[in-house]
């Protein structure tokens, strides 16, 4: 009780915000020691760490140089884009620079001179790292916002993509979706993918420049309008299935599908005023470190969590070697306010002194044997400490005991082997005639046919006689007039009527021929 009281006094960290520190040095009755907490890195301006790709090739203006005009000045087409002139070029990197006071710098697409072919462009942002969004994504368009666009996200470094939000001046027409607003979502629909008309209508190109993905409005569903009740948000992020993942991305893609039209229909006689121009893309978020790190650094071109709690990996997604006495778990925001670190533990440490080599999360006390044993060992292990392989599996000699690959399936051939168990080097126990580590081969002088059978005939010792041919070591195909396993018996030897009763001359001719053959093969009579 005294010990507990001491803990309570000391374990509240001197935190500036929530989940800021991963550990602190505290003094208890047992002396000083580390206390561990769930922790996460601070939110950052993610555009500083992004790689961008603009598709298709040739969509960026200026190669060859071209003129464009604006919706405000549709017939004064004196603006010029020229990729070879730094003052007139509009490369993708200008979406991520810091804007000086005054003039905006922007990426710009070619104009819509190919109308009515659609003017399509993809802007793909990649971090090569899972990011948790903490604020709105804000995309700033100069000269008007697209009338149709889509935001997509990937969670696996661009292998698969999912819609994140649809934007159109008419959602029904563009995407067959009803228009919705994020502000109208409820606690049960906070992670709904919707189509919004709020950012696509023409309002004059200078007035409304931004397109948003509203992270704050979605957070506010749980944390209140000023995000004051973050505890409630963190509780929801922990408990509502898929909510945390909804705000997690490794990549984002803006699919620009139709440019600003200046509030009217497309005027074919002046297509130089239709194009995309993006001056800034603001993405605010934090590295996803599974609540095992409070620092995230940019190393060798990628963001990397500085993992604590004896975890490792880009997202602190696994336990360090020799710290796998239980399975890896993400830290938890709960219980409030410090959460649970769910740290990885050294092999042989705590956990009721029951080592499970990371193959089980649970131990149980067996009363009548007076032992503590691991429960439901995973990765095909078994035993009190999950230290053995299940029957039908054998120990992977190149893997540590705490490796997920520690047990390899025996994979014995079902027909060739006695059972599906094997010895420590993976050798199965073979039935008669079978061989090989998995018993899927036959010994010499055996042939495979749903198992190994001894050869009936072959080319060496068990030759077919009297011109018979050996068929797949299984039987001799005998010429007319002979029979027996090796064609060793003449039919007329056995049954006289086979010789005399044979109708026509063919039969007797054959007998003569075979007789001659027999003369050249002394010894056959002995058989
Ligand atoms: C944009 O990306 C989507 C997939 O997310 C792809 O289907 C489409 O072809 C791309 N468009 C262009 C213009 O590259
Ligand atoms: C992505 O990050 C991983 C881990 O930091 C690194 O090994 C890999 O080289 C990076 N890939 C690219 C394309 O930057
Ligand atoms: C991680 O391992 C080190 C070295 O054994 C140990 O001092 C530390 O307490 C461990 N941390 C956690 C959170 O278990
Ligand atoms: C044995 O373990 C090593 C190390 O984990 C692993 O790379 C290898 O794939 C495993 N072998 C088999 C056959 O599973
Ligand atoms: C496993 O069986 C094979 C074949 O019988 C044998 O060569 C090997 O030495 C055995 N390994 C062990 C560890 O017993
Ligand atoms: Ca810019």
């Amino acid at each position: 009780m005294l010990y507990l009281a001491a803990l309570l006094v000391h374990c509240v960290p001197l935190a500036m915000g929530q989940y800021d520190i991963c550990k602190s040095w505290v003094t208890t009755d047992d002396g000083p020691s580390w206390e561990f907490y769930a922790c996460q890195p601070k939110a950052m301006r993610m555009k500083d760490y992004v790689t961008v790709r603009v598709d298709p090739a040739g969509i960026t203006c200026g190669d060859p140089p071209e003129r464009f005009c604006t919706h405000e000045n549709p017939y004064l087409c004196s603006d010029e884009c020229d990729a070879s002139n730094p003052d007139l070029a509009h490369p993708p990197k200008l979406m991520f620079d810091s804007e000086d006071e005054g003039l905006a710098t922007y990426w710009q697409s070619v104009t819509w001179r190919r109308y009515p072919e659609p003017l399509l462009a993809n802007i793909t942002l990649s971090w090569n790292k899972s990011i948790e969004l903490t604020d709105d994504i804000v995309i700033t368009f100069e000269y008007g916002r697209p009338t149709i666009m889509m935001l997509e996200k990937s969670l696996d470094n661009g292998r698969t993509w999912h819609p994140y939000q649809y934007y159109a001046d008419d959602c029904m027409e563009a995407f067959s979706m009803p228009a919705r607003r994020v502000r109208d979502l409820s606690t049960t629909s906070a992670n709904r993918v919707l189509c919004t008309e709020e950012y696509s209508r023409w309002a004059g190109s200078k007035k409304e420049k931004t397109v948003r993905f509203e992270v704050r409005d979605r957070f506010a569903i749980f944390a209140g309008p000023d995000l004051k009740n973050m505890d409630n948000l963190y509780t929801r992020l922990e408990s509502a299935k898929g909510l945390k993942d909804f705000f997690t991305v490794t990549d984002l893609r803006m699919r620009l599908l139709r440019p600003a039209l200046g509030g009217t229909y497309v005027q074919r006689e002046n297509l130089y005023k239709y194009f995309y121009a993006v001056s800034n893309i603001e993405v605010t978020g934090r590295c996803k470190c599974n609540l095992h790190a409070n620092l995230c650094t940019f190393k060798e071109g990628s963001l990397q969590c500085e993992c604590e709690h004896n975890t490792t990996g880009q997202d602190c997604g696994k336990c360090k070697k020799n710290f796998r006495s239980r399975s890896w778990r993400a830290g938890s925001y709960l219980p409030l306010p410090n959460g649970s670190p769910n740290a990885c533990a050294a092999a042989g440490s705590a956990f009721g002194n029951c080592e499970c080599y990371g193959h089980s999360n649970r131990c149980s006390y067996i009363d009548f044997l007076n032992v503590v044993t691991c429960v439901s060992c995973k990765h095909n292990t078994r035993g009190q400490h999950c230290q053995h392989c299940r029957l039908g599996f054998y120990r992977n000699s190149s893997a540590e005991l705490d490796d997920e690959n520690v047990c390899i399936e025996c994979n014995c051939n079902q027909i060739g082997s006695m059972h599906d168990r094997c010895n420590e080097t993976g050798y199965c126990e073979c039935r008669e005639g079978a061989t090989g580590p998995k018993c899927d081969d036959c010994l010499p002088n055996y042939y495979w046919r749903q198992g190994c059978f001894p050869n009936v005939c072959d080319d060496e010792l068990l030759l077919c006689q009297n011109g018979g041919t050996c068929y797949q070591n299984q039987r001799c195909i005998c010429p007319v007039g002979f029979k027996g396993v090796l064609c060793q018996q003449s039919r007329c030897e056995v049954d006289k009527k086979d010789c005399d009763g044979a109708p026509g001359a063919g039969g007797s001719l054959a007998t003569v021929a075979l007789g001659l053959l027999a003369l050249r093969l002394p010894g056959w009579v002995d058989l």
Side-chain angles (χ1 to χ4, degrees):
M1 200 56 228
L2 247 176
Y3 172 72
L4 240 173
L7 251 182
L8 284 175
V9 171
H10 293 287
C11 80
V12 179
L14 299 166
M16 293 93 71
Q18 256 174 317
Y19 308 108
D20 278 8
I21 61 168
C22 299
K23 60 182 177 201
S24 78
W25 188 241
V26 297
T27 322
T28 65
D29 280 4
D30 291 351
S33 67
W34 286 110
E35 278 275 327
F36 300 100
Y37 317 105
C39 52
Q40 60 187 5
K42 289 194 173 46
M44 308 194 282
R45 267 180 27 167
M46 286 298 167
K47 73 173 184 184
D48 296 345
Y49 310 99
V50 79
T51 323
V52 64
R53 197 192 142 92
V54 176
D55 287 306
I59 190 71
T60 299
C61 70
D63 184 20
E66 67 176 311
R67 288 185 180 282
F68 61 94
C69 26
T70 65
H71 291 294
E72 274 74 23
N73 266 329
Y75 297 101
L76 188 67
C77 301
S78 59
D79 287 329
E80 197 181 353
C81 177
D82 181 352
S84 63
N85 178 344
D87 290 337
L88 299 174
H90 293 282
K93 66 170 189 225
L94 298 181
M95 296 185 276
F96 306 98
D97 57 349
S98 41
E99 304 277 89
D100 291 332
E101 290 291 311
L103 273 187
T105 56
Y106 49 91
W107 166 80
Q108 187 177 318
S109 76
V110 296
T111 59
W112 204 358
R113 49 177 190 250
R114 291 242 183 89
Y115 178 87
E117 210 177 281
L119 181 63
L120 303 177
N122 284 356
I123 302 172
T124 307
L125 313 188
S126 305
W127 282 276
N128 189 27
K129 171 79 188 79
S130 324
I131 308 276
E132 291 166 347
L133 300 176
T134 57
D135 208 334
D136 293 2
I137 298 170
V138 185
I139 309 152
T140 309
F141 287 89
E142 304 296 324
Y143 307 109
R145 302 175 294 190
T147 44
I148 307 179
M149 73 170 261
M150 214 185 134
L151 185 65
E152 291 183 327
K153 75 160 191 174
S154 172
L155 254 170
D156 53 10
N157 293 318
R159 274 183 286 283
T160 57
W161 290 91
H162 312 278
Y164 215 8
Q165 191 145 306
Y166 297 85
Y167 302 86
D169 54 359
D170 185 337
C171 281
M172 216 50 190
E173 182 202 82
F175 297 111
S176 309
M177 290 170 83
R180 283 176 187 277
R181 293 186 312 174
V182 172
R183 286 193 290 284
D184 300 334
L185 292 175
S186 70
T187 50
T188 52
S189 59
N191 56 355
R192 175 171 293 176
V193 173
L194 49 76
C195 181
T196 173
E197 295 179 352
E198 264 185 272
Y199 307 102
S200 310
R201 293 213 179 103
W202 177 252
S205 67
K206 298 235 165 60
K207 253 167 79 190
E208 302 276 358
K209 291 180 158 192
T210 58
V211 172
R212 282 175 181 268
F213 178 78
E214 307 93 333
V215 171
R216 280 181 154 262
D217 285 346
R218 291 184 193 252
F219 282 177
I221 297 169
F222 305 110
D226 304 321
L227 304 188
K228 286 229 172 77
N229 189 358
M230 288 302 275
D231 280 357
N232 191 33
L233 173 64
Y234 286 132
T235 305
R236 288 300 188 129
L237 284 174
E238 203 62 59
S239 57
K241 201 168 163 283
L243 192 59
K244 224 173 178 177
D245 277 352
F246 181 79
F247 297 106
T248 308
V249 307
T250 56
D251 304 66
L252 288 169
R253 175 175 286 160
M254 278 125 250
R255 296 179 61 181
L256 310 181
L257 301 171
R258 195 174 66 191
L261 303 183
T264 59
Y265 55 93
V266 179
Q267 290 165 324
R268 306 187 71 131
E269 68 281 5
N270 188 355
L271 295 172
Y272 297 110
K273 59 180 179 175
Y274 305 112
F275 55 89
Y276 305 106
V278 178
S279 58
N280 194 40
I281 301 178
E282 206 64 57
V283 180
T284 311
R286 64 166 59 97
C287 291
K288 170 180 172 165
C289 302
N290 286 300
L291 294 173
H292 288 312
N294 60 355
L295 288 176
C296 187
T297 51
F298 196 60
K299 269 192 241 163
E300 288 145 24
S302 288
L303 287 165
Q304 179 93 40
C305 300
E306 301 273 345
C307 302
E308 302 267 2
H309 303 157
N310 292 314
T311 60
T312 187
Q314 213 189 8
D315 302 351
C316 310
K318 56 185 184 186
C319 290
K320 269 190 187 160
K321 216 173 159 63
N322 299 326
F323 287 92
R324 295 184 191 143
S325 69
R326 56 182 107 148
S327 303
W328 174 91
R329 277 198 294 159
S332 168
Y333 287 120
L334 304 178
L336 301 166
N338 289 325
S340 322
N342 294 336
C344 293
S349 78
F351 209 56
N353 281 326
C354 179
E355 166 83 79
C356 299
Y357 295 105
H359 304 307
S360 166
N361 270 330
R362 271 192 316 136
C363 286
S364 134
Y365 176 68
I366 301 179
D367 209 4
F368 106 112
L369 292 173
N370 190 28
V371 291
V372 179
T373 179
C374 305
V375 179
S376 346
C377 296
K378 287 183 293 189
H379 313 133
N380 303 309
T381 61
R382 67 178 176 92
Q384 187 186 353
H385 304 291
C386 307
Q387 78 276 36
H388 298 305
C389 288
R390 270 174 48 198
L391 286 181
F393 292 80
Y394 68 104
R395 176 76 201 274
N396 179 348
S397 58
S398 56
E400 304 273 344
L401 212 44
D402 61 3
D403 196 309
E404 282 191 13
N405 298 314
V406 67
C407 294
I408 304 172
E409 193 169 3
C410 290
N411 231 336
C412 301
N413 186 290
Q414 276 187 5
I415 299 165
S417 62
M418 308 283 278
H419 42 68
D420 58 7
R421 298 189 291 277
C422 54
N423 76 5
E424 290 105 284
T425 45
Y427 278 81
C428 304
E429 205 180 322
C430 298
R431 287 180 194 276
E432 195 208 325
T435 188
K438 307 299 167 198
C439 308
D440 48 7
D441 253 341
C442 290
L443 288 167
N445 300 324
Y446 284 82
Y447 69 94
W448 181 271
R449 186 168 160 239
Q450 310 283 344
C452 294
F453 292 91
N455 284 354
V456 172
C457 56
D458 60 27
D459 299 333
E460 290 156 26
L461 296 165
L462 298 166
L463 287 169
C464 298
Q465 307 289 310
N466 297 315
T469 51
C470 183
Y471 173 74
Q472 292 183 352
N473 300 105
Q474 293 174 21
R475 62 190 168 93
C476 289
I477 299 173
C478 300
V480 182
F482 292 92
K483 64 189 221 176
V485 176
L486 292 173
C487 317
Q488 72 276 32
Q489 282 178 310
S490 159
R491 285 184 187 272
C492 42
E493 279 281 292
V494 184
D495 194 344
K496 287 282 178 241
K497 79 174 189 302
D498 271 358
C499 319
D500 308 338
S508 48
L509 256 180
T511 316
V512 172
L514 284 168
L516 284 172
L517 197 70
L519 281 177
R520 295 171 58 198
L521 291 168
W524 72 275
V525 234
D526 298 344
L527 281 168

